[in-house]
Amino acid sequence: MGQPLEGKVILVTGASRGIGFEIAREVGRAGASVVAHYANTRHGAEEATAELPPERKLLVQADFAERGSGNTVWDQAVGWKGRVDVLVNNAAILTEIDWDGPEDEWDRTWQASWQVNVIEPARITRSAVRHFVANGEGTVISLSSWLAYRAGRAAMAAYSASKGALTALTKSVAAEYARQGVLAFIIAPGMVRTDMSIDAAEQFGGEEATAAQLVMGEWIPPVEIARLVVFLSRGDCRHLSGATIDINGASYMR
């Protein structure tokens, strides 16, 4: 029996660190050919795909802070082998906002969050959906957050709102294109042990203090998110399309 993702081409955005790093590595181990997008940290994308032979990996650089960069990523991805089977929208930034700070700083934070977390992912998703419809099948998997659904700190409002927008976008794809073979899923993690989350936790007493507040008393290992992506990428649970899958160790149930 072959590997579960053998023959599939999977594009992972933000593949150089954190959740994206583990996703790129796990889908590669499951047999997929991997397009690993990165913004600045090429060595991270190289490490994530280090186990793959050259013919099964492509590294693509683009900074989503730049308008139209999503098109650059998509064009290189689909041009590599002539198709993409799964798009994983993972790339994101988390910049806190100061509600009492200067107006220009407020604007910059919102604009940057929206540009990186919503506009370029939407641009890639649009291209992916067109491609999937033409091919008769394809899958979009978007990484949201439990902060899109539960109350979070006001300082993280831009991040939370952007993840809510990405969720709505992905649900729209699921509903509109279901009969044309396009599947779409949302993964909403809780506290995942990534550098970005650990840095944010410093304001709450650090990593251990934050973990103590969680039901399981521990952060989610990024590899668990990656294994879920492998399962969804297989495409053999079609009627799960449109679902938001919570993965937070029972710390937030709805």
Side-chain angles (χ1 to χ4, degrees):
M1 183 176 179
Q3 293 175 294
L5 300 182
E6 187 174 1
K8 288 184 179 287
V9 179
I10 298 182
L11 165 58
V12 182
T13 66
S16 64
R17 55 189 298 197
I19 295 172
F21 178 100
E22 294 294 344
I23 291 172
R25 185 157 61 179
E26 288 298 308
V27 297
R29 287 173 174 173
S33 293
V34 180
V35 181
H37 157 258
Y38 67 98
N40 302 306
T41 316
R42 181 181 177 88
H43 69 84
E46 290 174 338
E47 185 178 349
T49 57
E51 299 175 8
L52 300 179
E55 66 272 15
R56 283 182 49 211
K57 61 183 173 183
L58 175 69
L59 273 56
V60 177
Q61 191 280 330
D63 186 349
F64 281 6
E66 299 176 5
R67 185 180 183 277
S69 54
N71 288 337
T72 299
V73 174
W74 178 260
D75 290 345
Q76 291 187 48
V78 79
W80 181 38
K81 292 185 179 291
R83 76 177 201 283
V84 171
D85 301 292
V86 179
L87 164 64
V88 182
N89 283 317
N90 169 73
I93 60 171
L94 194 167
T95 304
E96 296 196 356
I97 55 176
D98 182 356
W99 287 69
D100 297 317
E103 192 77 9
D104 58 347
E105 182 180 319
W106 170 274
D107 288 346
R108 282 196 300 271
T109 300
W110 278 96
Q111 289 167 1
S113 298
W114 225 250
Q115 171 64 28
V116 174
N117 298 0
V118 182
I119 294 176
E120 295 311 318
R123 203 183 301 277
I124 294 180
T125 300
R126 180 187 188 213
S127 295
V129 167
R130 291 174 167 180
H131 180 72
F132 296 158
V133 168
N135 288 349
E137 62 181 355
T139 300
V140 176
I141 302 171
S142 294
L143 272 294
S144 181
S145 169
W146 66 346
L147 292 178
Y149 304 94
R150 65 189 290 270
R153 292 189 302 120
M156 300 178 74
Y159 176 79
S160 301
S162 71
K163 287 301 185 179
L166 182 63
T167 296
L169 166 71
T170 308
K171 287 181 177 180
S172 298
V173 169
E176 183 72 18
Y177 296 98
R179 295 196 180 190
Q180 291 156 282
V182 181
L183 307 178
F185 309 98
I186 302 105
I187 298 175
M191 295 298 295
V192 184
R193 195 178 187 281
T194 65
D195 291 342
M196 184 171 70
S197 295
I198 291 171
D199 289 345
E202 286 303 313
Q203 297 188 39
F204 299 94
E207 184 177 354
E208 291 185 8
T210 303
Q213 300 174 36
L214 302 174
V215 171
M216 289 188 175
E218 60 188 32
W219 294 52
I220 304 161
V223 70
E224 292 193 14
I225 313 294
R227 289 167 183 162
L228 180 54
V229 170
V230 170
F231 167 71
L232 295 174
S233 298
R234 288 165 49 184
D236 53 6
C237 198
R238 294 174 53 252
H239 288 85
L240 190 62
S241 188
T244 299
I245 303 171
D246 294 313
I247 177 166
N248 56 56
S251 290
Y252 175 66
M253 295 179 281
R254 58 193 173 95

